[in-house]
Structure formats: structure tokens, C-alpha cells
Amino acid sequence: MAKKMISEMGLPKSISNIFTARNIITAKDALSHTEFELMELLDVGMSEVISAISHISELVSPPSQTALLLMEQRVCNESLAGHLPTRLKGLDEALCGGIPFGVLTELVGPAGIGKTQFCLKLSLLASLPANFGGLDGHVIYIDVESKFSSKRLIEIGMKSFPEIFHKKGMAQEMAGRILILRPTSLSEFAESLHQIKISLIHQHVKLLIIDSMAALVLGEYDCGASRQQALGRHVSFIKSLAEFSRIPVVVTNQVRSQIGDEPLMYSFQAQSHSRKKDNHATYDSHLVAALGVNWAHAVTIRLVLEAKSDQRFIKLAKSPISPPLAFPFNITSSGVVLLDDNGIEMKGPEINSIHCQGQNALFNF
């Protein structure tokens, strides 16, 4: 609109000719000057300049939209109102529908806690036919640590969706919709991302999973600026993929030990340092998410998976729209199952703390 010709904007002929004579041809040319500059250039009065600029601005400015209209347009354009339901009722309600489209959702927790189990279930949900509540699309699953199990995927499908998976050939069809990539280095990963951008358009991809980002970055770079620079480049590209394609992007992250007086990640975690020392014995672990603060700011949703007092929890640690809640869960033959849909509201730094005590005996299949 900025390149729209002033001569085509319906201004009075006299003022339009003056603009043309002074080589002010487009709306951008006119709006690049102040009103006083235009008075001098055009040699006309202030009232005429204000009238002309108001008319030009009205024609080239984008129309305003209400928040309600934007929401209705998104609901109309995106299946399931822009979310991939996890089928975990309490978590879906807290997230206003499930894993959101167009942003990064992070799963962080210690090894063996259930991050890959969660990702396998999401893969199935994205590939399910629409009449069964799925996205009816393909999934790109970047399996960095070779943890993806086709056998486990089919087991989850058989137990969770028997009406689909017991039909002849349906298990093979669902599994065939999930494309597995196993890059062994960041350079291979970067190449995969550029291929993915093409696939998002041509192969009806509805979900991207990266399991895990930490394994790629931590395995190739030592601590320091080079790691953060590489991570920054890749996370920017991943975020652009999510925004460009309007699909959910789920990334898993590992944990590491917290270092002595290391600063806490968020301002609301800044409890009294002396109190933290006093409570040292009450914590069964001192773990934090890997990849650092810049990475933490890049993700929109952070789900912390932890084990504490012989019980697993999914904690909604970061969300622009949801309260900080913790949901107890088990892993069964049908995947991740919540034990309570109401959730436990958590305040202060506890929502971001990560425990891994007593998780070895928590598999229920």
C-alpha cells in the first residue's frame, strides 16, 4: 500500500498535480515528510497539507481489527482451534486446548522420566484421522538419541485407540505417517531443518518433534559463547518454522546439576538465599534445565517432568496464559496418564525446580 500512486487516491486534481510536480509520487514519498516539510515543498497552506495527508493515510493504513475478530479468524483457519490436544484432560484445560500451534513447547526432565513417551503419544495424536480427533497429517520426528521405538508406538496406539489400530492395515498406515530423522551432528541437523521447511508444505506435516535438542548442542560444543551462538541460530530457525507453518513444535531438553551460586532463571525464583541454604536438606535434587537462559526465553510453553517421593509430576512451569500447575502422572501401556485432572497450584520457585528422586520403580506396564 505504501507504493500506491498519489494520482490514484482521489485527491483534488489541483493538489494531486502539485505532488506530482514536486516528484512526490507514492504514498510512501508523501508520508516520509513532516507536515512542515510538505508545506515548504508544495508551497501550500497547512490546512491543505493536513487534509491531503489524512486522506492518504486513511487509504494506505491497514484496517484495525478487534481481538475477537482475530480469535475467530484463527479458529476458522486452524483445526481444533490452533491446539493439538494431548488427551490429558487437566493439562489440556490448563493449556486452553492442548499443545499450541505456531510456538515452541519444551519438555524438560531427567532421563527416563517419560519425555519420549509423551512425544510418541503426541505423534499418534497428530497422525490420527480428523474424525477421531487427530490432525490427520504427517509427523517429522527428529530422533537425536535413537530412543524412538516403533514397537512402543504401536503398543500405545493399540491400547489408546483400539477402534483404529485393530482395523486391518491401520497400524501400518499410522506408523507410515511418522517420518524419523536421526542427525548425528549440528550440521546434519541444520540440513534437516531446511529440508523440513519444504516438507511442511508438500507433505501435509502437522507436528515437528525434536528429541532432544540438548543432546545435539551439548555433544558438539563446550560451554561458552560458541555454544550459545550456535544454539541461538538454530532456535531462531525453529521458531520461524513454527510461525511459518502454524504447527505445534515440541522440543525435549535434558537437565544438569545446578552450580553453587548460579543465578536462578526467573525473577520470581529469587527467594532468600539464606532460606534456600536452610532448606537444603528438604530438596531431593538440585537440577535445572540445560541450554541456558536464552533458550528458556525462546520457548513459549515449558513442561517440567519430574519424580518426587515416588511419584511423577508434569508441571506447567511456563505459559503466557496458564497458571503454574502440577499434575501427578503414571506411564502405562497406553502412555502417559494423569492421576488427577485438577492439578496442584504451585507458587514461587518450586514450579521450576526439578526432582528425580525415586523414579526407578514408577513404570506401570
Side-chain angles (χ1 to χ4, degrees):
M1 295 298 287
K3 295 182 179 179
K4 190 175 178 65
M5 305 292 286
I6 290 177
S7 59
E8 299 173 356
M9 291 188 176
L11 288 170
K13 192 75 172 175
S14 57
I15 192 72
S16 179
N17 287 341
I18 295 174
F19 273 106
T20 303
R22 301 299 190 273
N23 201 33
I24 300 176
I25 309 300
T26 66
K28 182 178 179 181
D29 295 336
L31 298 174
S32 296
H33 295 284
T34 67
E35 292 167 342
F36 288 105
E37 288 173 341
L38 287 173
M39 279 183 61
E40 184 175 349
L41 285 169
L42 303 177
D43 195 21
V44 297
M46 177 61 79
S47 60
E48 292 173 282
V49 169
I50 291 175
S51 176
I53 290 301
S54 297
H55 183 77
I56 293 170
S57 298
E58 184 177 350
L59 290 179
V60 301
S61 297
S64 60
Q65 294 178 300
T66 65
L68 176 62
L69 179 60
L70 289 173
M71 182 180 71
E72 290 173 343
Q73 288 175 346
R74 177 159 292 183
V75 170
C76 181
N77 294 334
E78 295 178 346
S79 60
L80 302 174
H83 292 81
L84 171 59
T86 66
R87 302 290 181 98
L88 303 174
K89 183 173 180 290
L91 184 60
D92 284 341
E93 289 177 355
L95 289 171
C96 299
I99 306 298
F101 293 3
V103 298
L104 266 61
T105 296
E106 178 195 35
L107 306 177
V108 59
I113 196 66
K115 301 186 295 296
T116 298
Q117 302 284 329
F118 198 106
C119 291
L120 291 174
K121 186 69 169 282
L122 289 179
S123 299
L124 286 173
L125 292 169
S127 60
L128 282 181
N131 59 320
F132 285 96
L135 300 184
D136 197 22
H138 288 78
V139 176
I140 295 179
Y141 195 116
I142 300 181
D143 182 28
V144 178
E145 298 180 284
S146 299
K147 290 184 177 180
F148 183 91
S149 169
S150 298
K151 181 179 179 181
R152 177 65 175 138
L153 179 81
I154 298 301
E155 180 187 21
I156 293 174
M158 290 287 191
K159 297 292 185 179
S160 303
F161 314 106
E163 67 277 21
I164 300 176
F165 278 78
H166 286 155
K167 291 181 180 179
K168 185 177 180 180
M170 286 303 293
Q172 289 83 352
E173 181 180 339
M174 292 297 98
R177 294 184 176 189
I178 302 171
L179 174 65
I180 312 299
L181 300 176
R182 284 179 171 149
T184 59
S185 66
L186 268 178
S187 59
E188 285 187 17
F189 175 70
E191 291 175 8
S192 298
L193 288 179
H194 289 284
Q195 293 172 3
I196 286 168
K197 191 168 186 177
I198 299 172
S199 300
L200 293 176
I201 300 172
H202 299 295
Q203 295 187 19
H204 197 55
V205 173
K206 293 296 184 179
L207 173 66
L208 170 61
I209 292 175
I210 304 172
D211 183 18
S212 82
M213 192 67 197
L216 270 174
V217 178
L218 301 179
E220 194 155 326
Y221 286 93
D222 294 328
C223 294
S226 59
R227 175 192 290 176
Q228 290 302 314
Q229 289 171 1
L231 183 61
R233 289 194 302 270
H234 287 94
V235 74
S236 294
F237 192 83
I238 295 167
K239 287 183 68 175
S240 72
L241 282 179
E243 295 165 2
F244 161 77
S245 59
R246 296 301 306 170
I247 65 170
V249 175
V250 177
V251 184
T252 68
N253 189 7
Q254 299 173 354
V255 296
R256 61 176 177 81
S257 298
Q258 187 171 354
I259 303 168
D261 295 328
E262 183 178 2
L264 295 167
M265 188 169 294
Y266 299 106
S267 58
F268 62 75
Q269 290 179 270
Q271 61 176 319
S272 166
H273 189 66
S274 61
R275 194 179 88 187
K276 183 178 176 183
K277 286 184 177 179
D278 292 341
N279 293 343
H280 185 92
T282 67
Y283 287 86
D284 48 275
S285 81
H286 294 279
L287 301 175
V288 294
L291 300 181
V293 175
N294 291 337
W295 167 266
H297 288 307
V299 300
T300 301
I301 306 292
R302 167 171 279 182
L303 300 177
V304 171
L305 282 70
E306 68 169 7
K308 184 178 181 182
S309 301
D310 295 322
Q311 179 58 63
R312 295 173 188 259
F313 290 91
I314 297 176
K315 299 196 295 190
L316 184 46
K318 181 185 179 186
S319 167
I321 58 173
S322 308
L325 295 173
F327 299 90
F329 76 96
N330 280 341
I331 297 176
T332 70
S333 57
S334 61
V336 174
V337 177
L338 295 187
L339 302 179
D340 182 356
D341 287 321
N342 294 322
I344 305 163
E345 187 166 358
M346 308 191 78
K347 297 179 180 179
E350 183 64 18
I351 192 65
N352 275 286
S353 63
I354 304 173
H355 305 275
C356 65
Q357 178 268 332
Q359 74 181 60
N360 294 333
L362 297 178
F363 288 94
N364 292 325
F365 66 94

